[in-house]
Structure formats: structure tokens, C-alpha cells
Amino acid sequence: MLKAYKYRIYPIKEQEEYFAKVFGCVRFIYNKMLHDKIEHYKQTGEMLNNTPAQYKKEYSFLKEVDSLALANSQLNLEKAYKNFFRDKKIGFPKFKKKKGYQSYTTNNQNGTV
């Protein structure tokens, strides 16, 4: 059985800055990967399989944040992209906006959150 926990946190200044970086990087990588998938599909008619690791060389700021958050962003995009091709009524994945609700998902490693 899988469990999920939702917490309200009250971060200090350094933690707020880190979370802002993570939110921005997760949004950036999702939008960049979606843009590249769209362009690749227009050119070849095939689906592109890209990962966040491919972008870390070009965008060094992605190395400063949680890699599992970026990987989960990739998984969310893949699921949304495949759902669109499975059922057109679901709608095409939308680009993430800076305004509004911001969240990210990370994985628990050895009991550390």
C-alpha cells in the first residue's frame, strides 16, 4: 500500500529561496520538454523521448535543484502526452504558468523527506 503525506511548512529565508528555485526549474523543464516534443512531432511525426538530464549541460541552474523533482516533472509530462494521444477529448498538455498554484513532487529516499 502506498502512502502520501501532505505537509504545511513554514520555511526560513534560505528554504524559501530553494523552493522558489525548485518551482521555477520544474516549470522550466516541463515547458522546455513540451516545446521540444511539439517541435519534434511537427518535423518528424514521431514522439520525442527526452529527459531532464539532457538539458543540464545547457542549463547549469538545473543542477542546483532536486533531480527527483525534475524526473517527476518528466513523468507528469509523459503521462499527459500519452493520455492526449490515447483520448483526444482529454486535451493537449498545457504549458505551466508562473502565476497561481505551484507545487512539485519528490521521492522519499531512505526515510528522508
Side-chain angles (χ1 to χ4, degrees):
M1 180 163 114
L2 296 175
K3 292 183 179 181
Y5 297 98
K6 204 177 217 184
Y7 292 101
R8 176 168 292 239
I9 59 172
Y10 301 97
I12 60 175
K13 192 68 172 169
E14 293 84 19
Q15 292 169 331
E16 284 181 4
E17 292 172 3
Y18 177 74
F19 288 138
K21 283 183 186 179
V22 175
F23 292 142
C25 288
V26 165
R27 182 180 61 252
F28 172 80
I29 200 71
Y30 184 95
N31 289 341
K32 183 70 174 157
M33 290 174 65
L34 179 57
H35 176 264
D36 291 348
K37 282 183 180 295
I38 292 169
E39 292 301 317
H40 186 265
Y41 187 78
K42 284 180 183 176
Q43 293 174 0
T44 65
E46 297 176 357
M47 192 168 104
L48 175 66
N49 292 324
N50 49 358
T51 64
Q54 297 169 341
Y55 298 96
K56 287 186 178 182
K57 292 177 186 171
E58 186 176 351
Y59 304 102
S60 61
F61 59 88
L62 295 174
K63 296 178 184 177
E64 298 173 7
V65 298
D66 184 14
S67 63
L68 294 173
L70 299 178
N72 283 325
S73 179
Q74 174 198 3
L75 293 176
N76 293 340
L77 176 60
E78 293 291 330
K79 186 176 180 180
Y81 207 71
K82 287 179 182 176
N83 284 343
F84 169 72
F85 284 106
R86 183 178 49 87
D87 185 9
K88 301 285 185 187
K89 291 186 287 185
I90 292 175
F92 195 77
K94 294 178 176 56
F95 288 98
K96 302 276 184 197
K97 297 178 183 177
K98 188 173 184 176
K99 304 289 185 205
Y101 184 74
Q102 295 183 358
S103 69
Y104 74 93
T105 304
T106 188
N107 298 356
N108 187 4
Q109 293 183 324
N110 301 326
T112 61
V113 177

